[in-house]
Amino acid sequence: GAGATTTIISGSGNTFHLTGDTAVSNVTITGFTITTASGQTGHGIELVNVNNIIIESNIIRNNGNDGINLWTNADNVTIRKNFIYSNATDGIQVASTDALSMNDGLTISNNVIYRNTVDGIWINPSTNTSITNNTIFGNTGIGIGVGNFVASTVTVTNNIISNNATGLSKSSNTTLTNTFNNIVSNTT
């Protein structure tokens, strides 16, 4: 888009929905305000069966479900330099139906993620995921959570995580490398 403050995409259902029988590849979503997707499926951006996607320099706010939802076979996705806030569930959710369709190779960096009704970032499951240099605050649930659907490998580095119900949470079967994070003023 021409810039996130001037190019606004507003609608019902999912605002951006990328999916295909074969992987949708090499797409960049940049410079938009993505807002007011509505209903239970009202994700600001939803990606299913994609590869090599960049989501960059957007404002993603006030959507009826997740700000960004990666659902099943979302591989090599980079989410960076976005403002993601005031969404009805998670700022970013990464999910999958089973271990065979797990998401792989995700990078979530340099985002500001705040005031989402549930979690800032929720990963369940994903392999080779890096969450780096984000500011995550004021979410009702967890700042960064890694679930227990199947084993995940996630690196969480150099994030500021504050004023959430829980700062950082992981399941017992998750390999989580947690280094140099500033985790302050969370309820637990």
Side-chain angles (χ1 to χ4, degrees), residues 138-160:
N139 298 288
T140 304
I142 300 167
I144 298 174
V146 182
N148 60 3
F149 182 65
V150 296
S152 296
T153 304
V154 178
T155 300
V156 180
T157 308
N158 293 331
N159 297 284
I160 298 170

Side-chain angles (χ1 to χ4, degrees), residues 136 143-144 156 159-164 167-168 181-184 186:
I136 303 165
I144 298 174
V156 180
N159 297 284
I160 298 170
I161 307 166
S162 66
N163 297 311
N164 303 285
L168 182 61
N181 293 293
N182 187 356
I183 304 173
V184 296
N186 297 287

Side-chain angles (χ1 to χ4, degrees), residues 12 31 72 101 103 131 161 167:
S12 62
T72 305
S101 56
N103 304 290
I131 303 172
I161 307 166

Side-chain angles (χ1 to χ4, degrees), residues 77-146:
V77 175
T78 298
I79 302 169
R80 64 183 177 218
K81 301 179 184 175
N82 299 286
F83 287 88
I84 304 167
Y85 62 95
S86 297
N87 295 290
T89 54
D90 300 327
I92 299 171
Q93 182 185 71
V94 179
S96 184
T97 54
D98 57 50
L100 297 176
S101 56
M102 188 182 318
N103 304 290
D104 181 52
L106 306 178
T107 301
I108 301 170
S109 64
N110 299 301
N111 299 286
V112 179
I113 304 168
Y114 63 100
R115 284 193 335 240
N116 295 288
T117 303
V118 184
D119 301 324
I121 299 173
W122 178 253
I123 309 286
N124 189 22
S126 181
T127 59
N128 304 312
T129 295
S130 172
I131 303 172
T132 307
N133 297 324
N134 298 286
T135 300
I136 303 165
F137 64 94
N139 298 288
T140 304
I142 300 167
I144 298 174
V146 182

Side-chain angles (χ1 to χ4, degrees), residues 43-64:
H43 306 295
I45 297 172
E46 183 178 46
L47 305 179
V48 180
N49 196 25
V50 298
N51 190 23
N52 295 321
I53 305 297
I54 297 172
I55 302 169
E56 179 178 40
S57 300
N58 299 289
I59 298 169
I60 303 165
R61 61 176 170 82
N62 299 324
N63 292 291

Side-chain angles (χ1 to χ4, degrees), residues 165-183:
T166 301
L168 182 61
S169 175
K170 75 171 198 73
S171 67
S172 60
N173 65 343
T174 296
T175 301
L176 180 68
T177 303
N178 172 16
T179 56
F180 305 111
N181 293 293
N182 187 356
I183 304 173

